[in-house]
Amino acid sequence: MPEPIRFLLNGEPVEVAGVAPQTTLLEWLREHRRLTGTKEGCAEGDCGACTVVVAEAGGAGLDWRPVNACIRLLPSLDGKAVFTVEGLRQRDGSLHPVQQAMVECHGSQCGFCTPGFVMSLFGLYKSAPAATRAEVDDALSGNLCRCTGYRPILAAAQRMRELPAAAGWRAPGRAADGTRTIDPEEEQIAQQLGALARPGGLDYEGAGQRWIAPGDEDALAAACAAYPDATIVAGATDVGLWVTKQHRGLGTLIHTGAARDLARIERTEAGLAIGAAASLADAFAALDNDFPELHEAWERFASAPIRASGTLGGNVANGSPIGDSMPALIALRAEVVLRRGDAKRTLPLEDFYLAYRKTALARGEFVARIVVPPRGEQLLLRAWKVSKRYDQDISAAFACFALQLAGGRVASARIGCGGVAPIPARARRTEAALQGQPWSAATAERAAQALAAEFTPIDDMRASAAYRGRVLGNLMRRLWLEGGDGRAVTRVHDAAVSEAPR
Ligand SMILES: Cc1cc2nc3c(=O)[nH]c(=O)nc-3n(C[C@H](O)[C@H](O)[C@H](O)COP(=O)(O)OP(=O)(O)OC[C@H]3O[C@@H](n4cnc5c(N)ncnc54)[C@H](O)[C@@H]3O)c2cc1C
Ligand code: FES
Ligand code: FES
């Protein structure tokens, strides 16, 4: 007996049946519910006009995260609470502080982007009420505005915290003992979500299409084995575009998001084991603990809403040559654990990629986890993404350098590169040029020349082949400038950081 999709919409329970599972949340909100406050701009996760906030049971209270409704598939909301701009008005009818702040600070002109900005700010208001300027910038990295120039919106992000909140969706507070306090509305939502919980997962069918969302990894393994031709879908930040841009029918869909054990991030003897269904946001936070040098690269990966929906397993399995996590994971010697039925196998991540968009995944097999070994002593680690824009852009080139130094020499070197080959690749010749050499300007220069010539990249709209080669060589030189004897400051904002944090 097919089950309906159940979730909370602006605090009210809804059940959906008969709708094709590849329907996006945006289409459903606008076409089926006539909630047209949520806009469609790009329909590919880039502009943020469609941003809504999704809350789910978290540690203390709820986790509130912005997501792009345009590429989020409707059944993936099962058991969650969705908030749209229509739901923010407070019980007394007044505007929510986020909305009021946008009005007071003139944060809206034509208004098309405004609901999306309001929802991104609402997500921040609920999750990080004392956000720093850098956190505000990051929270808004997925929202584009053609009119305001952003300054009034940033002012609203400041102002929203000064306005009183009536009963409604208040910011969390802190009790005298430092614990997080939550408002009664949030508590009520948490209780309602408890009642919607479906430990066995969801088996849904609508308009002749099936959505299987197994409740744990074992059940997922059984479903993948039973339906080897089904499309696996995690956060749909790649798959969603197959629907909205390529208008593809996806057939039976197997969703990884209900298997909570597949989202676990654990510290094991082998290292940090990141479940394939862990969100990019959670995976990057865990990697930040062990490898803080990578923080900036993760901050530049898409935008906050994409990192909230997208998963590390999806990035790795998608295998795009311009994917950003893989070059870094390859440099960190990560391994990928694949599972088919009860059989598991482990591969070095670089061996997972066979050719352009071709991976070692067999029929019925899926990515179960990614394991990153513990860091060694004296690791010199840097990763740089080169793209036309700082935020929310695709890499023209990406390089991650992991040099194990010992006694002034390079004991071992691993370099992962993206955007320069048909697959995420290791720069083995350059690694060999570094291996065992004194860590010096001369060695770095030889390695830079080797790296510039190591790959045969292509010309495309993001960069020419010549630029890509040259930029890789220059990143090697930068590694020496930042991590060699001189420790040069290579960026203007680095110089400013020592005096006044951004
Ligand atoms: C606006 C925008 C910006 C982006 N920016 C970046 C960026 O800066 N850097 C970057 O690298 N990527 C970027 N991406 C791409 C995308 O966000 C990532 O690739 C993301 O990690 C995909 O994860 P997902 O969970 O959404 O995967 P999905 O879209 O659900 O799936 C992607 C692919 O992986 C397969 N898959 C998913 N999980 C598994 C599994 N466990 N086992 C086997 N197969 C699986 C699916 O079948 C599909 O082929 C961007 C995307 C958008 C829309
Ligand atoms: S419509 Fe542009 S991000 Fe969704
Ligand atoms: S107010 Fe016009 S696009 Fe932002």
Side-chain angles (χ1 to χ4, degrees):
M1 177 76 178
E3 305 158 276
I5 306 162
R6 300 182 314 203
F7 59 96
L8 302 179
L9 178 62
N10 294 325
E12 298 298 324
V14 290
E15 290 198 354
V16 182
V19 174
Q22 68 177 60
T23 304
T24 64
L25 173 59
L26 181 64
E27 183 185 342
W28 182 79
L29 286 172
R30 291 182 61 87
E31 307 292 330
H32 295 245
R33 301 294 293 215
R34 297 284 169 211
L35 290 175
T36 51
T38 309
K39 306 296 182 211
E40 180 175 61
C42 63
E44 60 181 42
D46 265 318
C47 74
C50 66
T51 309
V52 299
V53 167
V54 172
E56 53 188 310
L62 301 174
D63 275 344
W64 301 77
R65 295 191 173 181
V67 308
N68 300 107
C70 65
I71 49 173
R72 183 76 185 233
L73 303 186
L74 188 64
S76 71
L77 278 320
D78 189 68
K80 301 184 177 21
V82 178
F83 291 86
T84 69
V85 72
E86 289 88 352
L88 289 199
R89 192 177 285 270
Q90 305 189 92
R91 273 213 209 123
D92 64 3
S94 61
L95 293 179
H96 187 274
V98 175
Q99 297 168 304
Q100 185 60 35
M102 285 286 272
V103 172
E104 289 183 15
C105 298
H106 306 284
S108 179
Q109 288 185 28
C110 80
F112 195 81
C113 70
T114 307
F117 271 99
V118 164
M119 294 314 291
S120 283
L121 287 175
F122 174 64
L124 188 69
Y125 182 88
K126 291 298 288 176
S127 59
T132 61
R133 168 63 196 271
E135 286 166 337
V136 171
D137 286 354
D138 187 50
L140 297 180
S141 61
N143 293 87
L144 296 179
C145 175
R146 289 171 59 107
C147 309
T148 64
Y150 299 102
R151 198 203 50 76
I153 299 172
L154 293 169
Q158 176 69 34
R159 177 75 181 131
M160 69 187 187
R161 293 190 226 132
E162 299 158 5
L163 293 169
W169 318 112
R170 278 178 286 215
R174 293 272 163 209
D177 64 358
T179 53
R180 186 172 182 265
T181 58
I182 55 173
D183 66 27
E185 287 79 8
E186 184 165 339
E187 214 158 277
Q188 196 187 336
I189 296 282
Q191 277 172 16
Q192 286 172 287
L193 288 182
L196 290 184
R198 217 187 304 240
L202 172 68
D203 194 340
Y204 170 78
E205 197 167 329
Q209 189 179 30
R210 184 144 175 225
W211 172 275
I212 308 168
D216 60 31
E217 186 184 324
D218 289 342
L220 179 75
C224 289
Y227 303 96
D229 296 321
T231 302
I232 298 178
V233 59
T237 61
D238 285 310
V239 169
L241 277 71
W242 304 352
V243 176
T244 60
K245 295 289 150 171
Q246 299 173 6
H247 306 289
R248 274 163 63 177
L250 300 180
T252 296
L253 291 155
I254 298 180
H255 179 49
T256 62
R260 297 316 303 160
D261 48 351
L262 202 70
R264 249 185 242 141
I265 301 178
E266 292 168 316
R267 215 165 273 286
T268 67
E269 264 183 23
L272 193 64
I274 303 175
S279 70
L280 290 163
D282 291 345
F284 293 161
L287 286 165
D288 263 354
N289 272 329
D290 296 6
F291 307 102
E293 300 94 328
L294 301 185
H295 178 77
E296 185 183 308
W298 303 144
E299 199 177 59
R300 297 191 54 201
F301 189 119
S303 61
I306 295 288
R307 295 194 301 267
S309 283
T311 61
L312 192 65
N315 198 229
V316 164
N318 193 46
S320 165
I322 44 174
D324 288 335
S325 76
M326 301 87 100
L329 293 169
I330 287 172
L332 293 176
R333 300 169 192 271
E335 295 184 319
V336 61
V337 181
L338 309 179
R339 178 165 176 184
R340 185 189 197 183
D342 289 333
K344 294 182 188 168
R345 59 185 178 129
T346 301
L347 294 178
L349 183 57
E350 61 270 29
D351 294 348
F352 181 63
Y353 302 108
L354 305 180
Y356 178 67
R357 298 266 184 192
K358 185 167 165 38
T359 68
L361 270 183
R363 280 183 90 232
E365 196 171 42
F366 63 97
V367 175
R369 50 195 45 79
I370 294 108
V371 183
V372 184
R375 74 180 286 151
E377 299 274 306
Q378 283 200 58
L379 179 72
L380 172 58
L381 177 67
R382 291 287 188 283
W384 290 292
K385 171 170 177 163
V386 178
S387 59
K388 289 183 180 167
R389 284 194 308 161
Y390 186 86
D391 288 313
Q392 182 77 306
D393 202 357
I394 303 294
S395 289
F398 188 107
C400 181
F401 302 84
L403 269 53
Q404 204 63 66
L405 303 177
R409 291 189 171 265
V410 182
S412 70
R414 293 273 292 206
I415 303 171
C417 297
V420 289
I423 54 173
R426 252 180 91 180
R428 291 177 193 267
R429 284 204 297 275
T430 310
E431 291 173 6
L434 286 161
Q435 179 83 33
Q437 298 299 310
W439 180 227
S440 65
T443 300
E445 183 52 34
R446 272 196 304 280
Q449 289 175 21
L451 190 54
E454 173 126 20
F455 300 103
T456 41
I458 54 165
D459 289 316
D460 68 12
M461 63 186 178
R462 294 196 182 88
S464 66
Y467 175 84
R468 287 183 155 113
R470 178 173 291 196
V471 91
L472 279 193
N474 286 345
L475 291 179
M476 182 73 226
R477 293 184 181 98
R478 186 169 175 182
L479 181 71
W480 168 254
L481 290 174
E482 284 192 12
D485 289 346
R487 306 281 150 123
V489 172
T490 56
R491 278 172 298 180
V492 175
H493 99 242
D494 279 355
V497 160
S498 55
E499 288 149 35
R502 264 168 102 217

